[in-house]
Amino acid sequence: MIYFDNAATTKPSVNAVKKAEQFINEEYFNPSALYRGGIFCAKEIAAARESVLNNLGLSSANYEVIFTSCGTESDNLAVLCSGKRGIYVTDNGEHSAVYKSFTELTNRKIDTHFIGLNKDGSVKTDELFEFVKNNNVGFVSIVHVNNETGAINDVSFIADELKKINPSIIFHSDGVQAYGKIPFAFSDNIDMYSVSAHKINALKGCGALIKKRKTHILPLIFGGGQENGVRSGTENVFGIKIFQYAGEEHYSSLREDFEKVNNINSYVRENLDKNLFDILSGSNASPFILSVSAKGLRGEVIMHMLEDGGIIVGNGSACSSRNRHSRVLTACGYGDNVLDGVIRISFSTSSTLEEAKEFTVRINETARKLKGIMG
């Protein structure tokens, strides 16, 4: 099988799982327990927090890590639980976890505003800065890497510019498709940053919200007061430790893996039949995501034909798979003829050039065959 839907989820790292096995076989204790086993697990969670911060070059003196169940919960916690003041601003390219949180804010009679997108799915920064200059904005959330096109928003630059306009703005970024994948310098003006375990070869059911200690948020889940009172519930020690170990694997070879995946992405771009496919992802997009459109064809049909031959791709965000057309790509300005043919190809650090070569031959053949059937 060739698996090229890694933006949806990744295969867990065998080494990370093996290293964490002690937390289901021997050290399975509740981290809130006061006997030795519980204290040991609590210390191991603290080590995982430090690891996440170290990966981003952050200090525990200024930032803290709140472990959650997933990236979606992290986004909800950031958007819905910060202080309600001023207008809340985001863009039309956000993952549904942020986009629908803003819809909920609107339902709660809180002023919200959505910034437009460029053709590649990146945010229109001039429009964003102009709006913030002329309005009472209290909170801004801009995705780091667009999960459908791979467009990279320079969130450190955006955060810096926003704080020049209004230092009291709270700035959040969904970093789910960036953490462990793309090298970048984390600005001190980023107040909150969401990450997810299963996008970097760890397990589903674990994520984190990285936030400045001075940024105040209220709990979304109430109970025993875990995670410094912000996120109650017994911690998923096994999942957290796999997240830690997988993250350390990724950051130990981040730049080398980035170049490797970039070469794979470039090969696919160059060898797709240009008479059959339009490339939607920009040239400066994350190499881990490549969105294309099959001209005059249905992307979903191609996806299933490839699946029958042992190749797995997506046709957009897995979290929006029930919708006929991508909300994000629609906001980019594409019409039905492009939207119908969308296919999202997404790579991982374990993807190979050999897989890419076989894939491009097979997807070209599939599209040609489908064209012939329709013709």
Side-chain angles (χ1 to χ4, degrees):
M1 180 183 76
I2 296 175
Y3 180 72
F4 279 174
D5 194 25
N6 291 279
T9 197
T10 55
K11 182 179 180 179
S13 161
V14 173
N15 291 333
V17 172
K18 187 172 182 61
K19 284 180 70 174
E21 281 181 351
Q22 63 173 307
F23 297 99
I24 53 172
N25 293 328
E26 295 95 27
E27 308 292 348
Y28 49 82
F29 307 103
N30 189 320
S32 296
L34 298 180
Y35 43 78
R36 283 193 297 271
I39 293 170
F40 174 80
C41 286
K43 288 181 178 177
E44 287 296 316
I45 292 176
R49 295 188 212 281
E50 285 291 336
S51 177
V52 171
L53 294 177
N54 287 339
N55 289 337
L56 293 171
L58 302 177
S59 165
S60 58
N62 299 320
Y63 285 87
E64 64 179 318
V65 175
I66 302 163
F67 285 115
T68 64
S69 65
C70 58
T72 293
E73 184 188 338
S74 299
D75 285 340
N76 275 242
L77 188 58
V79 175
L80 298 176
C81 297
S82 60
K84 303 297 186 294
R85 54 186 175 79
I87 302 170
Y88 275 57
V89 176
T90 190
D91 63 90
N92 286 312
E94 295 294 317
H95 185 277
S96 57
V98 169
Y99 191 87
K100 291 187 177 179
S101 292
F102 268 73
T103 302
E104 175 58 22
L105 288 175
T106 304
N107 293 338
R108 297 180 186 183
K109 310 303 181 185
I110 294 171
D111 288 338
T112 59
H113 184 79
F114 294 82
I115 302 295
L117 302 180
N118 297 308
K119 201 73 173 178
D120 67 348
S122 60
V123 65
K124 291 184 174 180
T125 52
D126 289 345
E127 180 183 327
L128 170 64
F129 299 147
E130 188 66 22
F131 184 85
V132 173
K133 285 176 183 175
N134 294 299
N135 293 276
N136 178 29
V137 175
F139 182 98
V140 176
S141 182
I142 301 294
V143 67
H144 194 170
V145 172
N146 186 291
N147 66 301
E148 296 198 34
T149 69
I152 300 174
N153 290 309
D154 188 346
V155 292
S156 288
F157 167 76
I158 292 171
D160 292 346
E161 292 301 304
L162 290 173
K163 293 298 178 88
K164 289 177 185 176
I165 300 169
N166 180 358
S168 67
I169 283 177
I170 297 173
F171 182 80
H172 164 258
S173 181
D174 178 335
V176 166
Q177 297 291 352
Y179 180 76
K181 296 182 179 182
I182 66 170
F184 80 105
F186 196 102
S187 168
D188 185 54
N189 285 314
I190 297 174
D191 298 298
M192 293 186 282
Y193 192 77
S194 302
V195 296
S196 178
H198 75 104
K199 307 296 187 180
I200 59 161
N201 305 100
L203 299 185
K204 302 169 190 67
C206 185
L209 179 65
I210 302 157
K211 80 171 191 72
K212 276 188 170 178
R213 290 191 177 277
K214 67 179 184 180
T215 301
H216 179 67
I217 57 174
L218 298 171
L220 188 66
I221 298 173
F222 295 87
Q226 290 88 345
E227 299 301 297
N228 290 332
V230 176
R231 202 275 181 186
S232 292
T234 303
E235 297 93 338
N236 175 9
V237 185
F238 181 59
I240 288 169
K241 294 306 287 185
I242 295 175
F243 189 17
Q244 173 191 342
Y245 300 143
E248 289 167 354
E249 287 180 9
H250 277 259
Y251 277 90
S252 69
S253 56
L254 188 69
R255 294 186 181 276
E256 298 90 331
D257 288 336
F258 183 88
E259 289 304 319
K260 171 193 168 184
V261 175
N262 191 51
N263 289 335
I264 293 170
N265 182 300
S266 296
Y267 180 88
V268 176
R269 284 176 180 261
E270 292 166 6
N271 289 278
L272 284 174
D273 189 330
K274 303 303 185 295
N275 294 316
L276 298 170
F277 296 97
D278 286 328
I279 294 174
L280 308 183
S281 296
S283 58
N284 294 320
S286 166
F288 289 85
I289 297 175
L290 178 60
S291 270
V292 303
S293 176
K295 301 176 183 180
L297 300 175
R298 292 293 301 273
E300 185 177 352
V301 174
I302 294 175
M303 179 186 74
H304 289 306
M305 290 175 72
L306 288 172
E307 182 183 10
D308 290 341
I311 296 176
I312 307 298
V313 295
N315 69 328
S317 171
C319 293
S320 303
S321 59
R322 294 178 180 84
N323 301 324
R324 179 187 171 187
H325 289 153
S326 159
R327 165 181 53 80
V328 173
L329 293 175
T330 300
C332 291
Y334 292 107
D336 289 356
N337 60 325
V338 171
L339 297 172
D340 282 339
V342 169
I343 298 166
R344 184 182 67 175
I345 308 154
S346 51
F347 311 102
S348 76
T349 54
S350 60
S351 299
T352 67
L353 189 57
E354 289 69 29
E355 288 177 328
K357 290 177 179 178
E358 182 177 350
F359 167 75
T360 51
V361 169
R362 299 273 292 279
I363 193 171
N364 285 336
E365 288 177 347
T366 300
R368 290 187 192 112
K369 179 179 179 181
L370 196 55
K371 276 279 190 184
I373 293 171
M374 293 178 63

